């Protein structure tokens, strides 16, 4: 993909929550901060989002295990997701207010990543258990 940097893929493994140190203002800056403007995500009005939706917690955990083992997000979405987003879990570009509130908050707080090395978050909504990744922000 255009603009992707390999160095960003290695700074945070999928599921890592503590990749940035307190404040992020030390001389040893996180390389992933380059893409996100100094450690904090810039406000976005829309995001390109993918998800995996599972009704059962056990199925979500099985999907997470495969993601942690290095499987591609879109492949796992096709195999495990129980919704209509069959194109690798892609929901496309969504503007603020178009998604479930809990889903939206989690998604907008997430930095963009690739399906090959996703940075994802889990959230439970009235629809079930979601594993969310964001591919782009604008």
């Amino acid at each position: 993909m255009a603009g992707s940097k390999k160095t960003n893929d290695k700074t945070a493994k999928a599921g890592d929550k503590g990749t940035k140190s307190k404040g992020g203002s030390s001389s040893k800056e996180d390389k992933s901060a380059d893409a996100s403007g100094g450690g904090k995500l810039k406000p976005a009005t829309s995001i390109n989002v993918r998800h995996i939706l599972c009704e059962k917690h056990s199925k979500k955990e099985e999907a997470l295990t495969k993601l942690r083992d290095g499987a591609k997000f879109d492949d796992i979405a096709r195999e495990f997701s129980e919704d209509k987003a069959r194109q690798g879990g892609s929901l496309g570009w969504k503007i603020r207010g178009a998604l479930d509130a809990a889903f939206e908050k989690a998604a907008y707080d997430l930095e963009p990543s690739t399906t090959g090395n996703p940075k994802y978050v889990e959230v439970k909504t009235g629809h079930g258990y979601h594993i969310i990744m964001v591919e782009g922000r604008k």
Side-chain angles (χ1 to χ4, degrees), residues 1-134:
M1 292 179 74
S4 292
K5 290 183 184 176
K6 277 294 178 198
T7 55
N8 287 348
D9 293 345
K10 293 179 183 173
T11 56
K13 290 284 181 213
D16 263 357
K17 291 185 180 181
T19 59
K20 292 189 176 114
S21 60
K22 298 173 196 165
S25 59
S26 69
S27 61
K28 235 172 109 177
E29 284 191 7
D30 192 347
K31 288 185 178 164
S32 66
D34 297 351
S36 59
K40 289 221 174 195
L41 291 172
K42 292 180 181 171
T45 56
S46 63
I47 53 172
N48 188 5
V49 65
R50 289 181 184 263
H51 78 143
I52 300 167
L53 172 64
C54 302
E55 286 184 23
K56 296 186 187 289
H57 184 267
S58 59
K59 189 169 182 180
K60 178 208 55 139
E61 289 299 316
E62 193 179 339
L64 281 172
T65 299
K66 290 200 175 211
L67 285 171
R68 288 183 190 119
D69 289 344
K72 289 181 69 176
F73 192 95
D74 52 341
D75 293 340
I76 299 304
R78 281 186 201 94
E79 183 180 344
F80 286 89
S81 195
E82 299 170 5
D83 74 336
K84 64 181 178 150
R86 284 291 179 208
Q87 294 180 325
S90 178
L91 297 175
W93 287 95
K94 297 293 180 185
I95 60 170
R96 286 192 187 269
L99 299 164
D100 176 274
F103 184 106
E104 185 171 288
K105 168 140 181 38
Y108 273 91
D109 288 346
L110 200 56
E111 66 181 281
S113 61
T114 63
T115 58
N117 192 13
K119 294 175 184 167
Y120 51 83
V121 67
E122 306 167 46
V123 67
K124 184 172 186 337
T125 70
H127 300 283
Y129 298 92
H130 301 266
I131 304 168
I132 306 167
M133 73 160 287
V134 172

